[in-house]
Amino acid sequence: GAVSAETAQEMAQRARRLFNTDLALSVTGIAGPGGATPEKPIGLTHVHLSARDAEWGERHIWQGTREENKARSAEAALDLLRRYLERALAP
């Protein structure tokens, strides 16, 4: 399905290739209030960073409202980018 680690990875990789960038981020998830299944609950989110030298993905399950889940997902994506840059720029 569209909400999976594999989908998030493919989204980030294709965005990086399509826009010819050094890196790309993707987020896919079920923010709520609907759309959940027993296997994919509300709040399930996959975040992925694709770079020329790395592939990093994370899975989260948020417990907030739709707006809170979307905000936490965006924060998680930016945090993944921050951690990647810290590692890439470390002496």
Side-chain angles (χ1 to χ4, degrees):
V3 179
S4 69
E6 295 82 10
T7 298
Q9 181 177 4
E10 186 68 22
M11 288 167 56
Q13 289 173 343
R14 285 190 184 196
R16 191 168 57 81
R17 286 192 304 268
L18 178 66
F19 296 109
N20 192 31
T21 62
D22 292 331
L23 59 90
L25 293 167
S26 70
V27 177
T28 183
I30 302 169
T37 67
E39 298 81 28
K40 295 181 180 180
I42 291 173
L44 174 65
T45 302
H46 291 276
V47 179
H48 195 88
L49 179 142
S50 177
R52 293 174 196 232
D53 63 342
E55 295 289 335
W56 287 8
E58 295 181 346
R59 178 182 184 268
H60 301 276
I61 299 180
W62 312 122
Q63 300 296 319
T65 66
R66 178 179 181 79
E67 292 75 23
E68 291 167 341
N69 292 343
K70 290 169 66 174
R72 288 182 181 130
S73 296
E75 290 169 2
L78 292 173
D79 187 56
L80 188 61
L81 174 60
R82 178 192 58 80
R83 288 182 279 136
Y84 168 78
L85 291 173
E86 284 177 347
R87 187 194 72 150
L89 301 174

